[in-house]
Amino acid sequence: MQEEKPQTIRLKDYQVPVFGIDRTRLHVDIGELVTTVTTTLEISRNPLDTSGSRQLMLDGGRGLVTRKLAIDGRELMSNEFT
């Protein structure tokens, strides 16, 4: 498997983040064949952001499977996120 070359991020390209992560909780269950990580994030919109963007992007990386996604305790249906 060929690894991607890291991209350089320049200061001139910096943008204020749309969201901030206020708290992160992880539960890791390491099994013999499968490891399950449950993550709970408390996320809030950055008051300094002026872009007006409403999209939140979570990049889980390759080879990971999203089993459940919930907002304010309500589990999202598969057609509510991509």
Side-chain angles (χ1 to χ4, degrees), residues 28 33 42 45 48-49 59 61-62 69 72-73:
V28 181
L33 301 176
E42 291 181 17
R45 185 170 299 281
L48 300 177
D49 172 59
D59 184 1
R62 294 182 184 187
L69 186 61
D72 293 334

Side-chain angles (χ1 to χ4, degrees), residues 1 14 80:
M1 178 179 184
Y14 174 80
E80 293 182 285

